[in-house]
Amino acid sequence: MQTIAHSGLIAPSSRSHESFPFWRPTDLDEALTAIANAPLAPVIFAGGTDLCAQFNEGLTPAAMVSLDRVVELKTIRIEADRLVIGSMVTHAQGSTDELVRRHLPGFAKAWGMAANARVRFWATVGGNLMARRVRYELSLMLAALGATLRFARSDGTRFEITTEELWTADLDQRSLLLDIVVPCGEGARFDYERSLRPTLTIALASGSDAGAMAAIATEWLRPLVLRVRPELGPVRAAEDAFEAMPPSFSDPATSHWYLREVGQTLLRRMLEARDGR
Ligand SMILES: Cc1cc2nc3c(=O)[nH]c(=O)nc-3n(C[C@H](O)[C@H](O)[C@H](O)COP(=O)(O)OP(=O)(O)OC[C@H]3O[C@@H](n4cnc5c(N)ncnc54)[C@H](O)[C@@H]3O)c2cc1C
């Protein structure tokens, strides 16, 4: 028998949830042990801002492991021309961090635009990625930057994927995102254009190992990474990049033609601004 809360007529609230085991480990080893030992796959709790929405969508956890006390996941450091950003770094911390601002000021600025002030102090980069909602922005930014996501499984194995693979990778509930590795060598630069969001958002990264890359996304479509050849000049480079946009890249609100036209215009302007024109 369903309760009214489960019928879909009203959103289930915390009062309608069965109780479940809840762990708050204080370091990474303890967190991995808690995830491994939970009899049923546990829900990982980071800042909880997306989980609030998931509860309203019907999430009923069998168990939960909170990462809020795991300080190893809250750090940002530099390792050989790469920023290593812990999965528990919040939007507020990351966007104001001295290392992020020094090595990728454009990324710090763009990251600081995500969500409102109240949410930014709780919402983490790991939660933003692992919620796997295309309208969230960090996967778009990090895909353009050529970032790698590093995970640990509760059996002790480690693995990594590209940001683009986030959407197709087989990530079970016992896969813990540890950190994000972002190339930020000499000359690395990041620009972001969200004035048309959610119709179209563009991230442009250049000067890193991967050359210049643009990532585009809409409210409905996963980020698509396009190679950019700045040496062609802003007009031709923007046209050339969007030639690789597949015909299937359109959504219920916006046609392929419009996304290509407006995308080229925005990218051209970003390239011109980058060159100081
Ligand atoms: C009012 C509001 C406005 C917003 N505006 C924006 C915006 O403008 N731009 C934008 O990009 N986003 C926006 N967001 C989304 C927000 O950025 C995300 O909700 C937030 O980043 C999720 O992080 P969290 O720490 O709260 O994750 P949680 O809610 O704790 O977790 C989210 C999901 O990720 C999983 N998870 C979390 N951490 C890990 C980990 N380390 N390993 C494995 N799985 C993990 C959880 O199990 C859960 O499934 C907004 C949200 C709100 C509520």
Side-chain angles (χ1 to χ4, degrees):
M1 192 179 75
Q2 285 193 325
T3 65
I4 191 163
H6 291 107
S7 68
L9 293 174
I10 60 166
S13 74
S14 55
R15 271 165 294 181
S16 65
H17 280 289
E18 301 293 331
S19 61
F20 50 80
F22 181 70
W23 287 276
R24 280 181 91 190
T26 51
D27 65 33
L28 185 55
D29 286 342
E30 235 184 80
L32 289 169
T33 305
I35 292 168
N37 291 345
L40 293 167
V43 169
I44 293 169
F45 182 102
T49 60
D50 183 78
L51 282 171
C52 285
Q54 292 191 37
F55 278 120
N56 285 336
E57 290 161 0
L59 176 71
T60 49
M64 188 174 274
V65 176
S66 171
L67 303 177
D68 69 324
R69 292 177 171 170
V70 183
V71 283
E72 293 110 302
L73 300 177
K74 297 184 179 183
T75 61
I76 299 179
R77 60 184 192 281
I78 285 281
E79 268 177 23
D81 281 350
R82 280 157 172 60
L83 273 170
V84 180
I85 302 173
S87 63
M88 282 296 288
V89 168
T90 63
H91 299 337
Q93 181 194 346
S95 61
T96 56
D97 181 83
E98 176 53 31
L99 286 174
V100 182
R101 285 165 87 142
R102 191 184 328 145
H103 292 273
L104 282 172
F107 175 50
K109 187 175 168 202
W111 194 355
M113 293 175 193
N116 59 42
R118 187 175 50 84
V119 171
R120 273 200 295 276
F121 281 91
W122 289 100
T124 64
V125 57
N128 192 285
L129 294 168
M130 294 305 291
R132 298 211 266 190
R133 298 195 197 259
V134 291
R135 67 174 181 274
Y136 291 177
E137 295 167 82
L138 267 299
S139 73
L140 176 70
M141 298 182 201
L142 293 166
L145 284 162
T148 303
L149 316 183
R150 300 196 298 197
F151 289 82
R153 280 212 170 91
S154 50
D155 62 6
T157 56
R158 306 254 165 153
F159 66 99
E160 59 181 52
I161 60 173
T162 65
T163 311
E164 288 171 89
E165 289 167 341
L166 175 68
W167 304 99
T168 49
D170 180 20
L171 300 171
D172 62 35
Q173 277 180 262
R174 296 187 203 256
S175 299
L176 176 69
L177 177 61
L178 297 174
D179 52 31
I180 298 107
V181 183
V182 188
C184 66
E186 189 70 31
R189 177 173 172 146
F190 182 82
D191 297 285
Y192 196 54
E193 175 57 66
R194 77 198 289 272
S195 59
L196 285 185
R197 186 174 179 265
T199 302
L200 183 69
T201 313
I202 304 188
L204 172 65
S206 52
S208 65
D209 311 357
M213 306 297 275
I216 58 175
T218 79
E219 173 81 0
W220 309 80
L221 298 172
R222 293 173 186 175
L224 172 71
V225 177
L226 303 170
R227 181 165 295 283
V228 182
R229 295 194 288 158
E231 68 275 13
L232 297 176
V235 175
R236 185 67 200 111
E239 288 169 358
D240 177 71
F242 274 85
E243 273 166 24
M245 188 172 111
S248 57
F249 199 85
S250 67
D251 68 25
T254 319
S255 71
H256 176 83
W257 175 83
Y258 182 80
L259 290 173
R260 201 184 58 205
E261 292 297 309
V262 82
Q264 281 179 17
T265 305
L266 290 179
L267 181 58
R268 172 179 55 75
R269 288 183 189 164
M270 291 167 88
L271 289 165
E272 285 169 351
R274 200 192 65 133
D275 296 347
R277 298 186 194 202

